[in-house]
Amino acid sequence: MNDKKTIFSGIQPTGCITLGNYLGALKNWVNLQNDYNCIFSVVDLHSITVRQDSAQLRKRCMDFLTQYLACGIDGEENIVFFQSHVPAHSELAWVLNCFTYMGELSRMTQFKDKSSKHADNINAGLFTYPVLMAADILLYQTDLVPVGIDQKQHLELARDIAIRFNGVFGDVFKVPEGYIPKEAARIMSLQDPTSKMSKSDPNVNGFISILDDPDTIRRKFKRAVTDSEGEIAFREGKHGVNNLLNIYSAVTNQSVEKSVNEFSGLGYGELKERVAQAVIEELRPMQERYADLCKNKDYINKLYTEGAQRAAYLASKTLRKVHRKLGYVDR
C-alpha cells in the first residue's frame, strides 16, 4: 500500500444491482478509485441472514462482481473480492462480538426493520450483522467508508467498537470516518418515492436494474408515480417528480435547477420519456462491457482470486496484532 487513504465498501449480493446502487454507490466508487486505496467486496457473508437458494446466490455473486467491473471499477488497481474468500472477516467478527453490547445491537434500526419483514427467521446472524460489518471495515485499517443515511448507524457502532478495543489494548484499529460524496444521489422507488429504491423490492416496477433492457426501462418509467398537479417543479411534497428530476440530473451531470428549466412547460409524459432515455444511454456502455466480461470467465476468476489474496494479506496483519493483544499463542 502507498500513502493514500484506504476506502472499504461492499454491496450485499441480494436481488439485483439497481440504478439507485449505481448512482448512489458504484458511480462514486469509480470516481474515488484514483485518489484512494480502494477495497471493494461482494459481501456474501451478510446475505445469508435471509435464506438463500445456493445456486442463485453463487450466480448473483459472480454477476455482482462482474457488474462492479462493468461499471468502471479497475479490478487490477483496486482490490476486488468475495468476502467469504477471506476467513479473517468471520474470525475478527467473533472477537468484536465480545466487545459489543447487546443493548447496542438491539437499537439498530435495520435489525428492527428486517425482523419485522422476516418474522419467521429472526436469527442471531441478523442480530450481530453490524459486528460483521465492523469487522469488514476494521480489518483493513480503513480511513473512510462511503456510507448512506441507512448505514450511518452501523458505521457509528464500528467506530464505538474500535474505540472500546483501543481503550483496552492500545492503538490497534484505525477509527474510520464516514465518507459522503457531495455528488451522491439518493434515488427513490419509482412506485413509492418516499422510500429508497431497493434491490429487494418485491415490486419490480419500483426499481431499475442496471441490466434492464431499454424497453423495460421505458415501461418502468412510464409507470412511475408522480402527482396530480401536472407541474414539473422541485419542491417539498412532490416526491415522485423530485425523484425523476434527481435521476435525470445524476445521469446528465447537471444541477436539478438546470433540469427543471429544461423541462419547463412540458408534461409528465415527456419528463418520464426523457428520463428513461437518459438512463438508457447512461447504462448502455456498462451493459456492453458486462456482456464482454461475461465471455471472459478466466479473467474474472483471476481478478477475484488475486483480490482475495491481496485482501487476506492486509487482513492478516491486523488479525495478528489483535491476537497478540488478546493473548493468543502465536501461530
Side-chain angles (χ1 to χ4, degrees), residues 107-126:
R107 289 193 290 272
M108 295 290 111
T109 54
Q110 278 207 347
F111 171 70
K112 297 173 184 176
D113 179 52
K114 289 191 175 183
S115 296
S116 65
K117 291 179 180 176
H118 303 281
D120 60 335
N121 183 26
I122 305 175
N123 56 72
L126 188 64

Side-chain angles (χ1 to χ4, degrees), residues 24-282:
L26 285 166
K27 194 172 182 180
N28 290 311
W29 290 5
V30 173
N31 294 332
L32 294 170
Q33 64 183 342
N34 293 324
D35 298 323
Y36 298 90
N37 292 316
C38 292
I39 303 171
F40 299 125
S41 181
V42 176
V43 288
D44 49 351
L45 294 176
H46 287 288
S47 66
I48 64 169
T49 58
V50 177
R51 295 288 176 260
Q52 303 289 336
D53 177 278
S54 56
Q56 288 184 4
L57 177 61
R58 193 173 295 112
K59 182 180 183 303
R60 273 200 309 272
C61 286
M62 288 296 295
D63 285 346
F64 272 47
L65 188 134
T66 305
Q67 288 171 58
Y68 282 10
L69 303 174
C71 288
I73 298 297
D74 187 330
E76 296 177 13
E77 290 297 320
N78 304 289
I79 295 176
V80 179
F81 70 106
F82 295 116
Q83 180 191 28
S84 62
H85 288 190
V86 180
H89 286 258
S90 300
E91 197 169 346
L92 182 60
W94 168 251
V95 172
L96 299 185
N97 267 319
C98 299
F99 290 83
T100 307
Y101 301 131
M102 297 283 285
E104 292 174 314
L105 294 175
S106 65
R107 289 193 290 272
M108 295 290 111
T109 54
Q110 278 207 347
F111 171 70
K112 297 173 184 176
D113 179 52
K114 289 191 175 183
S115 296
S116 65
K117 291 179 180 176
H118 303 281
D120 60 335
N121 183 26
I122 305 175
N123 56 72
L126 188 64
F127 189 64
T128 60
Y129 176 107
V131 183
L132 178 57
M133 182 174 167
D136 299 337
I137 296 165
L138 300 181
L139 259 180
Y140 301 103
Q141 303 298 338
T142 301
D143 295 285
L144 300 167
V145 183
V147 65
I149 294 172
D150 55 336
Q151 292 290 346
K152 284 182 71 175
Q153 192 181 32
H154 288 169
L155 177 61
E156 284 303 316
L157 180 62
R159 287 172 50 82
D160 290 343
I161 295 169
I163 291 168
R164 183 174 302 138
F165 195 95
N166 290 349
V168 176
F169 296 110
D171 187 19
V172 177
F173 295 120
K174 189 169 286 184
V175 179
E177 300 285 343
Y179 181 86
I180 304 176
K182 293 178 182 177
E183 66 275 15
R186 183 169 169 80
I187 305 303
M188 314 304 280
S189 164
L190 298 181
Q191 292 299 303
D192 178 12
T194 61
S195 300
K196 192 179 80 165
M197 184 178 286
S198 170
K199 55 190 171 67
S200 56
D201 190 337
N203 184 350
V204 296
N205 291 311
F207 62 86
I208 302 292
S209 164
I210 63 172
L211 296 180
D212 278 343
D213 61 73
D215 287 343
T216 299
I217 292 172
R218 288 192 185 92
R219 183 175 68 252
K220 288 182 178 181
F221 274 111
K222 193 173 290 186
R223 295 174 178 173
V225 170
T226 50
D227 55 48
S228 59
E229 292 181 1
E231 179 191 5
I232 299 176
F234 192 91
R235 63 169 179 264
E236 188 74 28
K238 291 181 72 68
H239 304 293
V241 175
N242 291 351
N243 190 38
L244 293 174
L245 289 168
N246 275 331
I247 293 171
Y248 187 78
S249 300
V251 298
T252 57
N253 297 310
Q254 66 182 27
S255 68
V256 170
E257 291 74 18
K258 186 173 181 180
S259 297
V260 170
N261 291 335
E262 188 175 328
F263 290 107
S264 178
L266 300 178
Y268 289 167
E270 181 70 14
L271 171 65
K272 291 178 180 181
E273 176 58 34
R274 296 262 293 274
V275 175
Q277 191 57 42
V279 169
I280 289 166
E281 295 306 319
E282 174 77 8

